[in-house]
Amino acid sequence: MTHLKKHLAVFGFLLAAAVPAFAQQVIKLSTTTSTENSGLLQYLLPKFEARTNSKVNVISVGTGKALELAKNGDVDVTLVHARASEDKFVAEGHGVNRRDVMYNDFIIVGPETDPAKIKGSKDVLDAMKKITASGAKFISRGDNSGTDQMERAYWKQTGSQPQGGNYVSAGLGMGEVLTMAAELRAYTLTDRATYIAYRAKTGLQIVVEGDTRMFNPYGIIAVNPKNFPQANYKGAMQLVEWITSPEGQGLIAAFKVEGQQVFFPSYAGNSRGGK
C-alpha cells in the first residue's frame, strides 16, 4: 500500500467512526388527525428537526389509536386530545411526563340550508337534540378519536341520537369526514382548526359554537421507557420540552390558517406522570 493510500484509508476509517456522532435521530410520534390536517405539524416540526438534528416520523390517526400505538411501544411520544383517556394512559403506567400543550374548541358545522334550524346556537346539547328531531343526517368520526369520544359523550347526555341512515359512522379522519358531510349535506362535530383548513373546499357553515362544554385541550406524553427500553425516550423528551418551551409555544400561537389563529398555547409549567 502506498503512502497516499495509507492516509486515505486512515481518513476513511476516521470519517466512518465520526458519522454516528452526527447521525440524525428518529423520533416516532403518534398524533390525532387534527394536528396533521390543519397543517400545524408541517409548520412546527421542521423547526424542531433543524434545532435537534432529528427526523420526526408522524403517524396521524384518531386519539384512541394514537394512544394504542404508544401503549404498544410502536412510537416514542404521543400528542392527543382526550383528557380522560390521557390520564388513564398515564395512570396505568404507559406514559410519563404528560404536559398541556395547547387548546382550541369543537364546533358543529352543517349545510347552508341548516335543516335542523340550529345556526347561532351556543348550547351543544340542545342543538344535537334538534338535529335528531329534524331527521337531518349526522356524520360521526366513528374512530375512537378525541372528537369521536366527545361526540359520544354529548349524545349520551342528550339521551338520543339520529337513527338508521341519518347517522353515519365513518371510521375516518376529520378532513375526510368534513368532505363527506359536505357531499351528504349533513352535520358533524369538528375541531375548529381542521374545519378552517377545509372550509373553502366543503362550503360547510359553523352552526354551533361557544359552549364551554366544547373546550378541546391537547396534551403530549412520552412513552414509559421502563416498559420499552428500546424507545427513543431522550428524543421524546426533547420534543416534549421543545413544544412546551417559549419557542414552541410562541410558534403555536403564531400559526394561522386563512389568517386566523386556530391553536392557543396552554403550557404553564405543569407536568404529570413523573419519570
Side-chain angles (χ1 to χ4, degrees):
M1 184 180 289
T2 67
H3 187 68
L4 177 60
K5 285 183 177 179
K6 286 182 180 179
H7 277 292
L8 288 174
V10 171
F11 177 75
F13 173 78
L14 291 175
L15 183 62
V19 167
F22 298 97
Q24 188 180 56
Q25 72 165 331
V26 174
I27 302 167
K28 291 174 286 185
L29 168 70
S30 63
T31 187
T32 178
T33 60
S34 60
T35 59
E36 182 84 0
N37 291 162
S38 65
L40 177 69
L41 293 184
Q42 295 93 318
Y43 166 78
L44 283 181
L45 292 182
K47 298 172 176 62
F48 168 76
E49 290 171 335
R51 179 174 289 277
T52 58
N53 190 33
S54 303
K55 173 60 182 173
V56 182
N57 289 342
V58 176
I59 303 174
S60 176
V61 288
T63 284
K65 179 63 175 175
L67 288 172
E68 192 67 22
L69 289 168
K71 180 180 177 180
N72 294 335
D74 295 322
V75 296
D76 306 307
V77 60
T78 186
L79 173 62
V80 290
H81 64 132
R83 187 54 192 268
S85 295
E86 294 169 47
D87 287 344
K88 181 181 179 185
F89 179 80
V90 172
E92 291 178 347
H94 305 303
V96 294
N97 301 325
R98 183 204 173 276
R99 293 188 183 181
D100 295 326
V101 174
M102 59 193 181
Y103 67 89
N104 63 5
D105 63 339
F106 290 112
I107 52 178
I108 294 178
V109 299
E112 194 171 358
T113 53
D114 188 26
K117 307 302 178 196
I118 56 175
K119 188 169 184 177
S121 173
K122 294 186 182 299
D123 187 326
V124 62
L125 301 184
D126 182 63
M128 293 179 85
K129 287 178 184 176
K130 288 179 178 177
I131 290 172
T132 300
S134 72
K137 286 185 181 295
F138 189 96
I139 313 299
S140 171
R141 286 279 297 271
D143 62 351
N144 198 32
S145 61
T147 306
D148 183 49
Q149 291 179 39
M150 186 63 76
E151 180 214 315
R152 283 188 274 118
Y154 293 150
W155 290 126
K156 185 175 181 180
Q157 291 174 72
T158 64
S160 65
Q161 72 180 61
Q163 299 297 311
N166 289 336
Y167 187 82
V168 179
S169 182
L172 297 170
M174 197 70 255
E176 295 165 302
V177 166
L178 287 166
T179 300
M180 184 182 290
E183 292 171 351
L184 297 178
R185 296 185 177 134
Y187 294 98
T188 192
L189 180 74
T190 176
D191 67 283
R192 189 182 294 270
T194 308
Y195 164 71
I196 292 173
Y198 279 72
R199 177 168 51 193
K201 65 180 80 171
T202 64
L204 293 168
Q205 308 291 307
I206 296 176
V207 291
V208 182
E209 62 181 333
D211 192 325
T212 56
R213 289 169 290 198
M214 300 174 89
F215 178 67
N216 182 29
Y218 290 72
I220 191 166
I221 314 169
V223 167
N224 192 338
K226 292 181 180 178
N227 297 345
F228 300 99
Q230 76 278 14
N232 185 3
Y233 177 67
K234 178 183 176 182
M237 285 309 300
Q238 281 183 308
L239 182 57
V240 170
E241 294 285 353
W242 181 83
I243 206 168
T244 57
S245 71
E247 179 186 6
Q249 294 282 280
L251 287 168
I252 289 170
F255 174 69
K256 295 182 178 180
V257 178
E258 293 188 5
Q260 184 173 338
Q261 183 177 352
V262 291
F263 292 102
F264 299 84
S266 62
Y267 180 65
N270 55 320
S271 62
R272 295 178 176 84
K275 291 187 178 180

